[in-house]
Amino acid sequence: MTLAVPTLRLMPEIPGRVRGYPQLRFMGSKFRLLSWIHEVLAEIDFDSALDAFSGSGCVSYLLKAMGKRVTANDFLNFCTTIARATVENPGVRLTEDDLELLLSYDRRHRKFIEGRFSGIFFTKEDLRFLDRTWWNVGKLQGEYARSIAVSAMIRSCAKRQPRGVFTVAGDPEHYKDGRRDLRLSLREHFLEQVSVYNSCVFDGVKGCVAANGDILDFDADEFDLVYMDPPYVPRSDDNCYIKRYHFLEGLSCYWKGMDILESSRVKKIVKPYTPFSYRRTAISAFEAMFAKFSRSILVLSYSSNGFPDLPILVGLMRRYKSSIEVFEKDHRYHFGTHSSAERNRVKEYLVVGR
Ligand SMILES: C[S@@+](CC[C@H](N)C(=O)[O-])C[C@H]1O[C@@H](n2cnc3c(N)ncnc32)[C@H](O)[C@@H]1O
């Protein structure tokens, strides 16, 4: 294993538009590490890339902005929806007419969200807004316009919700502590978010794709480089994405085909299984993933609070790659409570295998 040392060479600047990416408060998001990731990736020669666990989509967006043909994959539908709007989308924006259509009143609209989530999240007016707008999304022409509209709804809900998570039910009035994001209605947020997403859209190289599935079932296409940022086995706290973001996941498809856990106070949905989240399955999952993509350059994001420890992962990668470099950076995740702040101070690694 080589520990890569910083050089004094001038590093290429991160493409400017990446700073304006509409990031989510997403657990494990690499948004604040993008400059560093860019520095490392800019030194590697590649044209096509798979972002195997795209999450908030920011790394895929960076790759697209670097001129790469990128496939963003995640097994959560809301992550794929955002990647479809920002990464796969070759330049489609919502027009004034689209917006007017989205905001129009159609008395045939369904009332599923209001019925299910009244008294749990948001105000009645907010929930009605979501039902009405979703009904109109179906009238938009084309999947990119629809994905922008749904992404704008997703980000609006994440912003309006305290801490951006959906773990506890709460009266929105209770949180009116002056913060603008909690003060604005969902409709007001939505208007802002449509223009935020519209302005981040651009046409990259041909063939960018947003995929939705378990990475271990992914049809291993030929990618020059595969970037992997899997969820970590939690050391103490849990790392469940569905527990935090179930509302966004349901919203991304209007809860179509989703199993709601009726006994849960917040009406969670069933979480998809991932072997990366459990001690007894994580190591073999890493091994299967490295084997699957062994013909590509492998770039693994990892952190010192993950399991297994770094040397084990490097050893696994070495089975497929002759040269391994490890880049390292101090980092602090803004997630969780103050008491966990110490735990959130970690070393971030990028392990590059060729
Ligand atoms: C650490 S996050 C990725 C964060 C992302 N790089 C970012 O900057 O926002 C891990 C992601 O992996 C996804 N995930 C977990 N297990 C998966 C699997 N087996 N296949 C595909 N995606 C998976 C989760 O939904 C989550 O979005």
Side-chain angles (χ1 to χ4, degrees), residues 26-31 51-59 73-76 79 213-216 227 229-232 241 273-277:
F26 189 82
M27 182 169 57
S29 167
K30 296 294 174 287
F31 185 75
D51 180 2
F53 304 85
S54 63
S56 69
C58 63
V59 178
N73 176 70
D74 202 284
F75 73 175
L76 293 183
C79 298
D214 189 316
I215 197 60
L216 296 179
Y227 170 75
D229 184 17
Y232 303 144
Y241 284 86
Y273 169 74
T274 180
F276 293 93
S277 287

PDB file of all heavy atoms in Angstrom, residues 26-31 51-59 73-76 79 213-216 227 229-232 241 273-277, ligand 1:
ATOM      1  N   PHE A  26     -27.576  15.025   3.218  1.00  0.00           N
ATOM      2  CA  PHE A  26     -27.685  13.590   3.001  1.00  0.00           C
ATOM      3  C   PHE A  26     -26.584  12.891   3.789  1.00  0.00           C
ATOM      4  O   PHE A  26     -25.413  13.279   3.691  1.00  0.00           O
ATOM      5  CB  PHE A  26     -27.519  13.321   1.501  1.00  0.00           C
ATOM      6  CG  PHE A  26     -27.821  11.918   1.090  1.00  0.00           C
ATOM      7  CD1 PHE A  26     -29.127  11.500   0.878  1.00  0.00           C
ATOM      8  CD2 PHE A  26     -26.795  10.999   0.905  1.00  0.00           C
ATOM      9  CE1 PHE A  26     -29.405  10.197   0.485  1.00  0.00           C
ATOM     10  CE2 PHE A  26     -27.071   9.698   0.518  1.00  0.00           C
ATOM     11  CZ  PHE A  26     -28.385   9.303   0.308  1.00  0.00           C
ATOM     12  N   MET A  27     -26.956  11.883   4.557  1.00  0.00           N
ATOM     13  CA  MET A  27     -25.981  11.188   5.391  1.00  0.00           C
ATOM     14  C   MET A  27     -24.837  10.647   4.514  1.00  0.00           C
ATOM     15  O   MET A  27     -25.083   9.927   3.554  1.00  0.00           O
ATOM     16  CB  MET A  27     -26.686  10.038   6.119  1.00  0.00           C
ATOM     17  CG  MET A  27     -25.792   9.275   7.064  1.00  0.00           C
ATOM     18  SD  MET A  27     -26.724   8.156   8.136  1.00  0.00           S
ATOM     19  CE  MET A  27     -27.592   7.128   6.967  1.00  0.00           C
ATOM     20  N   GLY A  28     -23.617  11.032   4.873  1.00  0.00           N
ATOM     21  CA  GLY A  28     -22.454  10.526   4.129  1.00  0.00           C
ATOM     22  C   GLY A  28     -22.183  11.284   2.844  1.00  0.00           C
ATOM     23  O   GLY A  28     -21.308  10.881   2.065  1.00  0.00           O
ATOM     24  N   SER A  29     -22.881  12.407   2.614  1.00  0.00           N
ATOM     25  CA  SER A  29     -22.658  13.151   1.373  1.00  0.00           C
ATOM     26  C   SER A  29     -21.203  13.617   1.275  1.00  0.00           C
ATOM     27  O   SER A  29     -20.614  14.085   2.247  1.00  0.00           O
ATOM     28  CB  SER A  29     -23.573  14.378   1.319  1.00  0.00           C
ATOM     29  OG  SER A  29     -23.126  15.233   0.277  1.00  0.00           O
ATOM     30  N   LYS A  30     -20.667  13.533   0.082  1.00  0.00           N
ATOM     31  CA  LYS A  30     -19.274  13.943  -0.133  1.00  0.00           C
ATOM     32  C   LYS A  30     -19.199  15.384  -0.649  1.00  0.00           C
ATOM     33  O   LYS A  30     -18.137  15.810  -1.124  1.00  0.00           O
ATOM     34  CB  LYS A  30     -18.593  13.001  -1.144  1.00  0.00           C
ATOM     35  CG  LYS A  30     -18.479  11.566  -0.636  1.00  0.00           C
ATOM     36  CD  LYS A  30     -17.534  11.470   0.554  1.00  0.00           C
ATOM     37  CE  LYS A  30     -17.503  10.093   1.188  1.00  0.00           C
ATOM     38  NZ  LYS A  30     -18.686   9.737   1.975  1.00  0.00           N
ATOM     39  N   PHE A  31     -20.297  16.116  -0.538  1.00  0.00           N
ATOM     40  CA  PHE A  31     -20.317  17.457  -1.128  1.00  0.00           C
ATOM     41  C   PHE A  31     -19.135  18.308  -0.653  1.00  0.00           C
ATOM     42  O   PHE A  31     -18.466  18.955  -1.458  1.00  0.00           O
ATOM     43  CB  PHE A  31     -21.649  18.159  -0.818  1.00  0.00           C
ATOM     44  CG  PHE A  31     -21.782  19.479  -1.498  1.00  0.00           C
ATOM     45  CD1 PHE A  31     -22.057  19.553  -2.854  1.00  0.00           C
ATOM     46  CD2 PHE A  31     -21.600  20.657  -0.799  1.00  0.00           C
ATOM     47  CE1 PHE A  31     -22.156  20.777  -3.509  1.00  0.00           C
ATOM     48  CE2 PHE A  31     -21.698  21.890  -1.442  1.00  0.00           C
ATOM     49  CZ  PHE A  31     -21.978  21.945  -2.793  1.00  0.00           C
ATOM     50  N   ASP A  51     -20.648   5.772 -10.840  1.00  0.00           N
ATOM     51  CA  ASP A  51     -20.747   6.153  -9.428  1.00  0.00           C
ATOM     52  C   ASP A  51     -21.713   5.135  -8.831  1.00  0.00           C
ATOM     53  O   ASP A  51     -22.925   5.221  -9.013  1.00  0.00           O
ATOM     54  CB  ASP A  51     -21.282   7.595  -9.329  1.00  0.00           C
ATOM     55  CG  ASP A  51     -21.426   8.067  -7.883  1.00  0.00           C
ATOM     56  OD1 ASP A  51     -21.087   7.306  -6.971  1.00  0.00           O
ATOM     57  OD2 ASP A  51     -21.903   9.219  -7.689  1.00  0.00           O
ATOM     58  N   ALA A  52     -21.151   4.134  -8.153  1.00  0.00           N
ATOM     59  CA  ALA A  52     -21.932   2.941  -7.794  1.00  0.00           C
ATOM     60  C   ALA A  52     -22.984   3.201  -6.721  1.00  0.00           C
ATOM     61  O   ALA A  52     -23.991   2.497  -6.649  1.00  0.00           O
ATOM     62  CB  ALA A  52     -20.980   1.842  -7.333  1.00  0.00           C
ATOM     63  N   PHE A  53     -22.760   4.207  -5.859  1.00  0.00           N
ATOM     64  CA  PHE A  53     -23.686   4.522  -4.754  1.00  0.00           C
ATOM     65  C   PHE A  53     -23.890   6.042  -4.792  1.00  0.00           C
ATOM     66  O   PHE A  53     -23.282   6.771  -4.017  1.00  0.00           O
ATOM     67  CB  PHE A  53     -23.070   4.135  -3.407  1.00  0.00           C
ATOM     68  CG  PHE A  53     -22.639   2.692  -3.305  1.00  0.00           C
ATOM     69  CD1 PHE A  53     -21.393   2.273  -3.768  1.00  0.00           C
ATOM     70  CD2 PHE A  53     -23.483   1.749  -2.719  1.00  0.00           C
ATOM     71  CE1 PHE A  53     -20.991   0.944  -3.658  1.00  0.00           C
ATOM     72  CE2 PHE A  53     -23.092   0.417  -2.604  1.00  0.00           C
ATOM     73  CZ  PHE A  53     -21.851   0.020  -3.068  1.00  0.00           C
ATOM     74  N   SER A  54     -24.742   6.511  -5.678  1.00  0.00           N
ATOM     75  CA  SER A  54     -24.698   7.948  -6.002  1.00  0.00           C
ATOM     76  C   SER A  54     -25.301   8.861  -4.925  1.00  0.00           C
ATOM     77  O   SER A  54     -24.972  10.031  -4.857  1.00  0.00           O
ATOM     78  CB  SER A  54     -25.380   8.204  -7.344  1.00  0.00           C
ATOM     79  OG  SER A  54     -26.742   7.858  -7.287  1.00  0.00           O
ATOM     80  N   GLY A  55     -26.212   8.351  -4.078  1.00  0.00           N
ATOM     81  CA  GLY A  55     -26.760   9.154  -2.970  1.00  0.00           C
ATOM     82  C   GLY A  55     -27.296  10.490  -3.431  1.00  0.00           C
ATOM     83  O   GLY A  55     -28.172  10.571  -4.296  1.00  0.00           O
ATOM     84  N   SER A  56     -26.735  11.567  -2.902  1.00  0.00           N
ATOM     85  CA  SER A  56     -27.221  12.911  -3.241  1.00  0.00           C
ATOM     86  C   SER A  56     -26.893  13.290  -4.687  1.00  0.00           C
ATOM     87  O   SER A  56     -27.399  14.290  -5.193  1.00  0.00           O
ATOM     88  CB  SER A  56     -26.577  13.936  -2.311  1.00  0.00           C
ATOM     89  OG  SER A  56     -25.198  14.044  -2.608  1.00  0.00           O
ATOM     90  N   GLY A  57     -26.015  12.543  -5.330  1.00  0.00           N
ATOM     91  CA  GLY A  57     -25.710  12.780  -6.750  1.00  0.00           C
ATOM     92  C   GLY A  57     -24.544  13.725  -6.985  1.00  0.00           C
ATOM     93  O   GLY A  57     -24.152  13.954  -8.136  1.00  0.00           O
ATOM     94  N   CYS A  58     -23.939  14.258  -5.902  1.00  0.00           N
ATOM     95  CA  CYS A  58     -22.942  15.312  -6.124  1.00  0.00           C
ATOM     96  C   CYS A  58     -21.659  14.793  -6.792  1.00  0.00           C
ATOM     97  O   CYS A  58     -21.053  15.514  -7.596  1.00  0.00           O
ATOM     98  CB  CYS A  58     -22.647  16.068  -4.831  1.00  0.00           C
ATOM     99  SG  CYS A  58     -21.912  15.068  -3.544  1.00  0.00           S
ATOM    100  N   VAL A  59     -21.254  13.563  -6.499  1.00  0.00           N
ATOM    101  CA  VAL A  59     -20.022  13.065  -7.121  1.00  0.00           C
ATOM    102  C   VAL A  59     -20.270  12.777  -8.607  1.00  0.00           C
ATOM    103  O   VAL A  59     -19.439  13.077  -9.464  1.00  0.00           O
ATOM    104  CB  VAL A  59     -19.478  11.819  -6.380  1.00  0.00           C
ATOM    105  CG1 VAL A  59     -18.222  11.289  -7.074  1.00  0.00           C
ATOM    106  CG2 VAL A  59     -19.163  12.152  -4.919  1.00  0.00           C
ATOM    107  N   ASN A  73     -25.592   5.290 -10.091  1.00  0.00           N
ATOM    108  CA  ASN A  73     -26.483   4.218  -9.641  1.00  0.00           C
ATOM    109  C   ASN A  73     -26.740   4.323  -8.142  1.00  0.00           C
ATOM    110  O   ASN A  73     -25.836   4.615  -7.366  1.00  0.00           O
ATOM    111  CB  ASN A  73     -25.860   2.841  -9.916  1.00  0.00           C
ATOM    112  CG  ASN A  73     -26.739   1.733  -9.364  1.00  0.00           C
ATOM    113  OD1 ASN A  73     -27.821   1.484  -9.896  1.00  0.00           O
ATOM    114  ND2 ASN A  73     -26.324   1.082  -8.275  1.00  0.00           N
ATOM    115  N   ASP A  74     -27.979   4.082  -7.759  1.00  0.00           N
ATOM    116  CA  ASP A  74     -28.301   3.943  -6.337  1.00  0.00           C
ATOM    117  C   ASP A  74     -29.527   3.054  -6.253  1.00  0.00           C
ATOM    118  O   ASP A  74     -30.341   3.038  -7.172  1.00  0.00           O
ATOM    119  CB  ASP A  74     -28.619   5.313  -5.702  1.00  0.00           C
ATOM    120  CG  ASP A  74     -28.418   5.298  -4.188  1.00  0.00           C
ATOM    121  OD1 ASP A  74     -29.290   4.736  -3.485  1.00  0.00           O
ATOM    122  OD2 ASP A  74     -27.390   5.812  -3.712  1.00  0.00           O
ATOM    123  N   PHE A  75     -29.675   2.314  -5.159  1.00  0.00           N
ATOM    124  CA  PHE A  75     -30.877   1.480  -5.074  1.00  0.00           C
ATOM    125  C   PHE A  75     -32.079   2.234  -4.523  1.00  0.00           C
ATOM    126  O   PHE A  75     -33.171   1.675  -4.498  1.00  0.00           O
ATOM    127  CB  PHE A  75     -30.619   0.132  -4.390  1.00  0.00           C
ATOM    128  CG  PHE A  75     -30.406   0.103  -2.900  1.00  0.00           C
ATOM    129  CD1 PHE A  75     -30.279  -1.128  -2.256  1.00  0.00           C
ATOM    130  CD2 PHE A  75     -30.338   1.245  -2.139  1.00  0.00           C
ATOM    131  CE1 PHE A  75     -30.088  -1.203  -0.888  1.00  0.00           C
ATOM    132  CE2 PHE A  75     -30.132   1.194  -0.779  1.00  0.00           C
ATOM    133  CZ  PHE A  75     -30.005  -0.035  -0.147  1.00  0.00           C
ATOM    134  N   LEU A  76     -31.895   3.493  -4.103  1.00  0.00           N
ATOM    135  CA  LEU A  76     -33.064   4.287  -3.685  1.00  0.00           C
ATOM    136  C   LEU A  76     -33.567   5.102  -4.873  1.00  0.00           C
ATOM    137  O   LEU A  76     -32.781   5.716  -5.602  1.00  0.00           O
ATOM    138  CB  LEU A  76     -32.703   5.207  -2.522  1.00  0.00           C
ATOM    139  CG  LEU A  76     -32.374   4.488  -1.203  1.00  0.00           C
ATOM    140  CD1 LEU A  76     -32.109   5.507  -0.098  1.00  0.00           C
ATOM    141  CD2 LEU A  76     -33.487   3.529  -0.775  1.00  0.00           C
ATOM    142  N   CYS A  79     -32.855   8.953  -4.982  1.00  0.00           N
ATOM    143  CA  CYS A  79     -31.489   9.297  -5.414  1.00  0.00           C
ATOM    144  C   CYS A  79     -31.403   9.212  -6.941  1.00  0.00           C
ATOM    145  O   CYS A  79     -30.789  10.068  -7.588  1.00  0.00           O
ATOM    146  CB  CYS A  79     -30.494   8.335  -4.772  1.00  0.00           C
ATOM    147  SG  CYS A  79     -30.499   8.425  -2.969  1.00  0.00           S
ATOM    148  N   GLY A 213     -30.675   0.405  -8.878  1.00  0.00           N
ATOM    149  CA  GLY A 213     -30.641  -1.008  -8.512  1.00  0.00           C
ATOM    150  C   GLY A 213     -29.520  -1.315  -7.540  1.00  0.00           C
ATOM    151  O   GLY A 213     -28.686  -0.466  -7.234  1.00  0.00           O
ATOM    152  N   ASP A 214     -29.549  -2.549  -7.053  1.00  0.00           N
ATOM    153  CA  ASP A 214     -28.510  -3.021  -6.145  1.00  0.00           C
ATOM    154  C   ASP A 214     -27.212  -3.169  -6.945  1.00  0.00           C
ATOM    155  O   ASP A 214     -27.204  -3.801  -8.004  1.00  0.00           O
ATOM    156  CB  ASP A 214     -28.930  -4.376  -5.564  1.00  0.00           C
ATOM    157  CG  ASP A 214     -28.004  -4.815  -4.449  1.00  0.00           C
ATOM    158  OD1 ASP A 214     -26.767  -4.678  -4.600  1.00  0.00           O
ATOM    159  OD2 ASP A 214     -28.517  -5.277  -3.421  1.00  0.00           O
ATOM    160  N   ILE A 215     -26.139  -2.617  -6.432  1.00  0.00           N
ATOM    161  CA  ILE A 215     -24.893  -2.621  -7.202  1.00  0.00           C
ATOM    162  C   ILE A 215     -24.392  -4.038  -7.451  1.00  0.00           C
ATOM    163  O   ILE A 215     -23.750  -4.314  -8.467  1.00  0.00           O
ATOM    164  CB  ILE A 215     -23.802  -1.752  -6.509  1.00  0.00           C
ATOM    165  CG1 ILE A 215     -22.684  -1.427  -7.472  1.00  0.00           C
ATOM    166  CG2 ILE A 215     -23.258  -2.397  -5.246  1.00  0.00           C
ATOM    167  CD1 ILE A 215     -23.100  -0.671  -8.686  1.00  0.00           C
ATOM    168  N   LEU A 216     -24.712  -4.953  -6.549  1.00  0.00           N
ATOM    169  CA  LEU A 216     -24.217  -6.317  -6.746  1.00  0.00           C
ATOM    170  C   LEU A 216     -24.992  -7.043  -7.842  1.00  0.00           C
ATOM    171  O   LEU A 216     -24.569  -8.083  -8.327  1.00  0.00           O
ATOM    172  CB  LEU A 216     -24.227  -7.098  -5.430  1.00  0.00           C
ATOM    173  CG  LEU A 216     -23.267  -6.529  -4.370  1.00  0.00           C
ATOM    174  CD1 LEU A 216     -23.342  -7.330  -3.084  1.00  0.00           C
ATOM    175  CD2 LEU A 216     -21.828  -6.488  -4.886  1.00  0.00           C
ATOM    176  N   TYR A 227     -16.322   4.434  -9.111  1.00  0.00           N
ATOM    177  CA  TYR A 227     -16.204   5.119  -7.819  1.00  0.00           C
ATOM    178  C   TYR A 227     -17.211   4.501  -6.860  1.00  0.00           C
ATOM    179  O   TYR A 227     -18.395   4.371  -7.189  1.00  0.00           O
ATOM    180  CB  TYR A 227     -16.481   6.635  -8.006  1.00  0.00           C
ATOM    181  CG  TYR A 227     -16.617   7.368  -6.688  1.00  0.00           C
ATOM    182  CD1 TYR A 227     -15.480   7.655  -5.928  1.00  0.00           C
ATOM    183  CD2 TYR A 227     -17.859   7.743  -6.202  1.00  0.00           C
ATOM    184  CE1 TYR A 227     -15.594   8.305  -4.703  1.00  0.00           C
ATOM    185  CE2 TYR A 227     -17.978   8.403  -4.982  1.00  0.00           C
ATOM    186  CZ  TYR A 227     -16.844   8.675  -4.239  1.00  0.00           C
ATOM    187  OH  TYR A 227     -16.954   9.303  -3.027  1.00  0.00           O
ATOM    188  N   ASP A 229     -18.819   4.507  -2.983  1.00  0.00           N
ATOM    189  CA  ASP A 229     -18.985   5.164  -1.680  1.00  0.00           C
ATOM    190  C   ASP A 229     -20.139   4.474  -0.946  1.00  0.00           C
ATOM    191  O   ASP A 229     -21.224   5.037  -0.804  1.00  0.00           O
ATOM    192  CB  ASP A 229     -19.289   6.660  -1.908  1.00  0.00           C
ATOM    193  CG  ASP A 229     -19.376   7.440  -0.601  1.00  0.00           C
ATOM    194  OD1 ASP A 229     -18.891   6.929   0.433  1.00  0.00           O
ATOM    195  OD2 ASP A 229     -19.940   8.556  -0.628  1.00  0.00           O
ATOM    196  N   PRO A 230     -19.909   3.253  -0.487  1.00  0.00           N
ATOM    197  CA  PRO A 230     -21.007   2.483   0.107  1.00  0.00           C
ATOM    198  C   PRO A 230     -21.382   2.994   1.499  1.00  0.00           C
ATOM    199  O   PRO A 230     -20.621   3.745   2.108  1.00  0.00           O
ATOM    200  CB  PRO A 230     -20.399   1.081   0.210  1.00  0.00           C
ATOM    201  CG  PRO A 230     -18.932   1.305   0.309  1.00  0.00           C
ATOM    202  CD  PRO A 230     -18.631   2.537  -0.482  1.00  0.00           C
ATOM    203  N   PRO A 231     -22.532   2.571   1.999  1.00  0.00           N
ATOM    204  CA  PRO A 231     -22.863   2.915   3.390  1.00  0.00           C
ATOM    205  C   PRO A 231     -21.905   2.156   4.305  1.00  0.00           C
ATOM    206  O   PRO A 231     -21.368   1.127   3.911  1.00  0.00           O
ATOM    207  CB  PRO A 231     -24.290   2.373   3.549  1.00  0.00           C
ATOM    208  CG  PRO A 231     -24.444   1.320   2.514  1.00  0.00           C
ATOM    209  CD  PRO A 231     -23.535   1.702   1.374  1.00  0.00           C
ATOM    210  N   TYR A 232     -21.657   2.700   5.491  1.00  0.00           N
ATOM    211  CA  TYR A 232     -20.725   2.041   6.413  1.00  0.00           C
ATOM    212  C   TYR A 232     -21.495   1.214   7.423  1.00  0.00           C
ATOM    213  O   TYR A 232     -22.580   1.594   7.847  1.00  0.00           O
ATOM    214  CB  TYR A 232     -19.880   3.088   7.151  1.00  0.00           C
ATOM    215  CG  TYR A 232     -19.122   3.999   6.213  1.00  0.00           C
ATOM    216  CD1 TYR A 232     -18.928   5.334   6.508  1.00  0.00           C
ATOM    217  CD2 TYR A 232     -18.616   3.499   5.011  1.00  0.00           C
ATOM    218  CE1 TYR A 232     -18.244   6.161   5.633  1.00  0.00           C
ATOM    219  CE2 TYR A 232     -17.932   4.318   4.143  1.00  0.00           C
ATOM    220  CZ  TYR A 232     -17.753   5.646   4.444  1.00  0.00           C
ATOM    221  OH  TYR A 232     -17.080   6.459   3.587  1.00  0.00           O
ATOM    222  N   TYR A 241     -30.777   4.599   5.799  1.00  0.00           N
ATOM    223  CA  TYR A 241     -31.221   5.705   4.940  1.00  0.00           C
ATOM    224  C   TYR A 241     -32.738   5.795   4.916  1.00  0.00           C
ATOM    225  O   TYR A 241     -33.302   6.892   4.886  1.00  0.00           O
ATOM    226  CB  TYR A 241     -30.659   5.526   3.514  1.00  0.00           C
ATOM    227  CG  TYR A 241     -29.189   5.895   3.450  1.00  0.00           C
ATOM    228  CD1 TYR A 241     -28.213   4.961   3.750  1.00  0.00           C
ATOM    229  CD2 TYR A 241     -28.792   7.183   3.155  1.00  0.00           C
ATOM    230  CE1 TYR A 241     -26.866   5.296   3.737  1.00  0.00           C
ATOM    231  CE2 TYR A 241     -27.457   7.537   3.136  1.00  0.00           C
ATOM    232  CZ  TYR A 241     -26.494   6.596   3.432  1.00  0.00           C
ATOM    233  OH  TYR A 241     -25.162   6.946   3.437  1.00  0.00           O
ATOM    234  N   TYR A 273     -32.690  -4.345   1.657  1.00  0.00           N
ATOM    235  CA  TYR A 273     -31.517  -4.967   2.286  1.00  0.00           C
ATOM    236  C   TYR A 273     -30.250  -4.582   1.528  1.00  0.00           C
ATOM    237  O   TYR A 273     -30.220  -4.576   0.300  1.00  0.00           O
ATOM    238  CB  TYR A 273     -31.680  -6.493   2.255  1.00  0.00           C
ATOM    239  CG  TYR A 273     -30.416  -7.209   2.642  1.00  0.00           C
ATOM    240  CD1 TYR A 273     -29.993  -7.248   3.966  1.00  0.00           C
ATOM    241  CD2 TYR A 273     -29.624  -7.828   1.661  1.00  0.00           C
ATOM    242  CE1 TYR A 273     -28.816  -7.896   4.313  1.00  0.00           C
ATOM    243  CE2 TYR A 273     -28.442  -8.473   2.004  1.00  0.00           C
ATOM    244  CZ  TYR A 273     -28.050  -8.493   3.331  1.00  0.00           C
ATOM    245  OH  TYR A 273     -26.880  -9.126   3.669  1.00  0.00           O
ATOM    246  N   THR A 274     -29.216  -4.246   2.286  1.00  0.00           N
ATOM    247  CA  THR A 274     -27.904  -4.070   1.652  1.00  0.00           C
ATOM    248  C   THR A 274     -26.850  -4.777   2.493  1.00  0.00           C
ATOM    249  O   THR A 274     -26.763  -4.555   3.708  1.00  0.00           O
ATOM    250  CB  THR A 274     -27.533  -2.590   1.450  1.00  0.00           C
ATOM    251  OG1 THR A 274     -26.244  -2.537   0.835  1.00  0.00           O
ATOM    252  CG2 THR A 274     -27.516  -1.787   2.729  1.00  0.00           C
ATOM    253  N   PRO A 275     -26.029  -5.629   1.886  1.00  0.00           N
ATOM    254  CA  PRO A 275     -25.041  -6.372   2.673  1.00  0.00           C
ATOM    255  C   PRO A 275     -23.939  -5.469   3.225  1.00  0.00           C
ATOM    256  O   PRO A 275     -23.204  -5.866   4.128  1.00  0.00           O
ATOM    257  CB  PRO A 275     -24.464  -7.367   1.662  1.00  0.00           C
ATOM    258  CG  PRO A 275     -24.720  -6.765   0.324  1.00  0.00           C
ATOM    259  CD  PRO A 275     -25.979  -5.976   0.449  1.00  0.00           C
ATOM    260  N   PHE A 276     -23.818  -4.239   2.687  1.00  0.00           N
ATOM    261  CA  PHE A 276     -22.748  -3.343   3.135  1.00  0.00           C
ATOM    262  C   PHE A 276     -22.993  -2.821   4.554  1.00  0.00           C
ATOM    263  O   PHE A 276     -22.117  -2.249   5.164  1.00  0.00           O
ATOM    264  CB  PHE A 276     -22.593  -2.164   2.162  1.00  0.00           C
ATOM    265  CG  PHE A 276     -22.089  -2.610   0.826  1.00  0.00           C
ATOM    266  CD1 PHE A 276     -22.970  -2.917  -0.198  1.00  0.00           C
ATOM    267  CD2 PHE A 276     -20.731  -2.771   0.599  1.00  0.00           C
ATOM    268  CE1 PHE A 276     -22.510  -3.360  -1.424  1.00  0.00           C
ATOM    269  CE2 PHE A 276     -20.260  -3.214  -0.629  1.00  0.00           C
ATOM    270  CZ  PHE A 276     -21.148  -3.517  -1.638  1.00  0.00           C
ATOM    271  N   SER A 277     -24.212  -2.985   5.055  1.00  0.00           N
ATOM    272  CA  SER A 277     -24.551  -2.401   6.352  1.00  0.00           C
ATOM    273  C   SER A 277     -24.388  -3.351   7.538  1.00  0.00           C
ATOM    274  O   SER A 277     -24.693  -2.964   8.654  1.00  0.00           O
ATOM    275  CB  SER A 277     -26.009  -1.916   6.330  1.00  0.00           C
ATOM    276  OG  SER A 277     -26.101  -0.769   5.548  1.00  0.00           O
TER     277      SER A 277
HETATM  278  C1  LIG B   1     -22.572   6.951   1.639  1.00  0.00           C
HETATM  279  S1  LIG B   1     -24.001   7.085   0.627  1.00  0.00           S
HETATM  280  C2  LIG B   1     -23.371   7.739  -0.867  1.00  0.00           C
HETATM  281  C3  LIG B   1     -23.166   9.221  -0.760  1.00  0.00           C
HETATM  282  C4  LIG B   1     -22.845   9.885  -2.086  1.00  0.00           C
HETATM  283  N1  LIG B   1     -21.526   9.550  -2.566  1.00  0.00           N
HETATM  284  C5  LIG B   1     -22.955  11.390  -1.898  1.00  0.00           C
HETATM  285  O1  LIG B   1     -21.930  12.085  -1.939  1.00  0.00           O
HETATM  286  O2  LIG B   1     -24.068  11.884  -1.681  1.00  0.00           O
HETATM  287  C6  LIG B   1     -24.381   5.435   0.262  1.00  0.00           C
HETATM  288  C7  LIG B   1     -25.512   5.239  -0.745  1.00  0.00           C
HETATM  289  O3  LIG B   1     -25.533   3.866  -1.098  1.00  0.00           O
HETATM  290  C8  LIG B   1     -26.852   3.470  -1.378  1.00  0.00           C
HETATM  291  N2  LIG B   1     -26.837   1.982  -1.277  1.00  0.00           N
HETATM  292  C9  LIG B   1     -26.696   1.223  -0.175  1.00  0.00           C
HETATM  293  N3  LIG B   1     -26.594  -0.063  -0.502  1.00  0.00           N
HETATM  294  C10 LIG B   1     -26.664  -0.138  -1.852  1.00  0.00           C
HETATM  295  C11 LIG B   1     -26.587  -1.201  -2.779  1.00  0.00           C
HETATM  296  N4  LIG B   1     -26.404  -2.462  -2.377  1.00  0.00           N
HETATM  297  N5  LIG B   1     -26.666  -0.912  -4.095  1.00  0.00           N
HETATM  298  C12 LIG B   1     -26.832   0.367  -4.519  1.00  0.00           C
HETATM  299  N6  LIG B   1     -26.926   1.422  -3.680  1.00  0.00           N
HETATM  300  C13 LIG B   1     -26.832   1.171  -2.360  1.00  0.00           C
HETATM  301  C14 LIG B   1     -27.680   4.218  -0.343  1.00  0.00           C
HETATM  302  O4  LIG B   1     -28.999   4.370  -0.799  1.00  0.00           O
HETATM  303  C15 LIG B   1     -26.926   5.545  -0.247  1.00  0.00           C
HETATM  304  O5  LIG B   1     -27.500   6.501  -1.106  1.00  0.00           O
END
